[in-house]
């Protein structure tokens, strides 16, 4: 930093002889003390301060004032040296703090300093001045830092002889004077109330959020542990035939009673009467409607799935339909009233009324199958019939796993690799229809299949190894025709079977040829005799609807298996 007392910027060297040197007048030997003014001589008045608070350069003085000028030069040199050594703060030069200069040495050598009492008074005055400064600053901050009207804002400075608080710096703006705390220090006292309110708000918000989270978790746990079930309306109960009545147990009970009721023989009349009494209540006919004449037996009695409410017993009773097949070949249906004492466990079963014989359920008409969009590959059908299916069904009927492995894929189903275990033998392939898959395009002469392509095949097989008893009691060989649905896969080695399923649909559909005979003939029909056949319906009877003729599927004249 430049010394304003030297025109060359130095602090004692290379100056003109008339200028003061380092700590004394020119040509003064080192260690020589400057001369003090004589007693009675008036001290020289202090000069006006120069720029930045430093004393202005003194003009040349006459020889009698040389000692006073040496003292001022020494003070200027000390201030310059302190400024060069002090750390530079990042503040504008106009706001730089000016250090306090040492007091002037106006006392004579050997003069005594201030007394102990004076020093105590001076310290007390300094503390009081510091307190007043802090109080004034606090009142200024409370009032918003505004100055009195008509006065210019000024920066507050510490009184002479006092120092600012450690770590605090005062700055002034166009509006007010404020303090900047040191790094890590506390904020001014004006924000303390705001901080308390902010902390209380944060604490309250955290507690409210925690309580809300606990409430939501509690509701979720409570909902998940709820054991309430959804209610079903009457439409759903009727649609899905839902009931609390033990239908299976009651149906089995009704089947046994129907078998006893429809079986009779005069030789076992008493035993039959006792058996029926164990099933029915006291008011039910003990002979189940039989007059004691004739014989009859039952070959099968099965619940036909029909069920009807029994209003007199509410949820504890039902009418159940049982289909009975007699030894004469006649098939009929019996309605049996059944009561259950405990529907929850199915216990306490009892027949609570006489049975009634009803006609068989009406058979429906099935619509025809539309096969107009099917395309049959005749070439592939003939190839499978000659090279694959004949050998496969021989091995499949005998359950020969070694032979079947030559015709099945590695991922073939269990049905394709298990077989009939010798139940049928001597198969003859009667019909093979290979259906061209959707998306496979072929030319006019052949259809080309890619490797891995699956093809559905319908096969009809006539088995000649079925064993049956002839009319004379000797074993005879019967022939049966069975239909299958196969899935074959094209590979590099040829066609292999992947899956086998039974049954093939009737393409014609329509009505059945004739209904089964029933106990109660419908209008226009007669009851056939035992073992006889049904007679033609009378004139004017309802005729079955005409059947829809089968649609002949289109065929491809040839196929060319292999890689496309």
């Amino acid at each position: 930093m430049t010394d304003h007392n030297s025109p060359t910027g130095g602090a004692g060297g290379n100056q003109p002889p008339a200028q003061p040197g380092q700590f004394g007048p020119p040509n003064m030997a080192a260690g020589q003390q400057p001369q003090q003014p004589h007693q009675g001589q008036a001290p020289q008045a202090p000069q006006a301060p120069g720029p930045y608070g430093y004393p202005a350069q003194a003009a040349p003085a006459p020889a009698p004032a040389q000692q006073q000028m040496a003292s001022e030069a020494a003070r200027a040199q000390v201030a310059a040296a302190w400024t060069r050594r002090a750390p530079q703060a990042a503040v504008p030069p106009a706001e730089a703090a000016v250090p306090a200069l040492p007091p002037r040495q106006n006392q004579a050598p050997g003069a005594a300093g201030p007394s102990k009492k004076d020093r105590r008074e001076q310290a007390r005055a300094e503390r009081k001045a510091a307190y007043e400064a802090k109080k004034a600053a606090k009142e200024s901050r409370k009032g918003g830092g505004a100055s009195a009207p008509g006065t210019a804002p000024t920066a507050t400075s510490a009184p002479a002889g006092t120092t600012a608080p450690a770590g605090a710096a005062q700055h002034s703006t166009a509006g007010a004077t404020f303090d900047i705390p040191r790094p890590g220090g506390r904020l001014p006292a004006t924000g303390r109330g705001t901080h308390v309110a902010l902390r209380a708000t944060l604490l309250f918000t955290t507690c409210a959020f925690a309580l809300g989270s606990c409430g939501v978790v509690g509701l979720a746990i409570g909902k998940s542990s709820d054991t309430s079930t959804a209610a079903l309306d009457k439409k759903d109960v009727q649609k899905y035939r839902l009931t609390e009545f033990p239908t299976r147990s009651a149906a089995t009970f009704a089947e046994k009673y129907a078998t006893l009721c429809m079986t009779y023989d005069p030789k076992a009349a008493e035993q039959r009467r006792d058996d029926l009494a164990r099933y029915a209540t006291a008011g039910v006919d003990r002979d189940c409607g039989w007059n004691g004449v004739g014989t009859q037996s039952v070959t099968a009695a099965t619940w036909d799935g029909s069920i009807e409410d029994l209003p007199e017993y509410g949820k504890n009773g039902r009418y159940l339909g049982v289909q009975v097949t007699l030894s004469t070949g006649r098939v009929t249906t019996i309605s049996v009233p059944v009561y259950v004492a405990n529907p929850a466990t199915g216990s306490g079963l009892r027949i609570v009324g006489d049975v009634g014989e009803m006609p068989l359920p009406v058979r429906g008409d099935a619509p025809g199958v539309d096969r107009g969009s099917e395309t049959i590959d005749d070439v592939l059908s003939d190839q499978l019939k000659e090279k694959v299916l004949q050998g496969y069904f021989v091995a499949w009927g005998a359950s020969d796993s070694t032979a079947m492995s030559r015709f099945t894929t590695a991922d073939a189903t269990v049905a394709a690799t298990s077989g009939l275990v010798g139940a049928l033998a001597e198969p003859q392939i009667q019909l093979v229809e290979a259906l061209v898959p959707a998306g496979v395009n072929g030319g006019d002469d052949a259809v080309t299949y890619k490797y891995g392509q699956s093809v559905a095949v319908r096969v009809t097989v006539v088995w000649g190894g079925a064993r049956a008893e002839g009319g004379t009691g000797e074993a005879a060989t019967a022939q049966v025709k069975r239909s299958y649905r196969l899935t074959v896969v094209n590979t590099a080695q040829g066609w292999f079977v992947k899956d086998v399923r039974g049954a093939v649909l009737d393409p014609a559909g329509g009505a059945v040829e004739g209904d089964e005979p029933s106990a109660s003939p419908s209008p226009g029909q007669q009851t056939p005799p035992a073992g006889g056949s049904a007679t033609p319906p009378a004139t004017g009877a309802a005729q079955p609807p005409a059947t829809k003729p089968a649609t002949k599927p289109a065929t491809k004249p040839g196929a060319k298996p292999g890689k496309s």
Side-chain angles (χ1 to χ4, degrees), residues 382-468:
D382 295 340
Q383 180 182 355
L384 293 174
K385 181 178 180 180
E386 296 175 1
K387 299 182 178 180
V388 179
L389 299 180
Q390 182 64 40
Y392 171 72
F393 275 101
V394 171
W396 189 69
S399 296
D400 188 351
S401 58
T402 303
M404 281 190 293
S405 63
R406 297 168 50 196
F407 303 97
T408 57
T409 60
D411 57 344
T413 62
V414 177
T417 57
S418 58
L420 300 178
V421 198
L424 298 175
E426 301 177 7
Q428 297 294 328
I429 307 301
Q430 185 179 33
L431 178 64
V432 177
E433 292 179 345
L435 305 179
V436 178
V440 176
N441 298 323
D444 297 336
D445 298 333
V447 179
T448 304
Y449 301 93
K450 298 181 180 179
Y451 292 149
Q453 178 68 54
S454 299
V455 177
V457 182
R458 291 194 293 261
V459 182
T460 302
V461 182
V462 177
W463 298 91
R467 306 293 294 178

Side-chain angles (χ1 to χ4, degrees), residues 41-76:
Q41 183 179 357
Q44 188 176 357
Q47 299 179 358
Y52 301 97
Y54 294 105
Q57 184 176 0
Q66 189 68 25
Q67 294 179 356
Q68 181 67 22
M69 185 173 63
S71 177
E72 295 293 340
R75 294 175 64 252

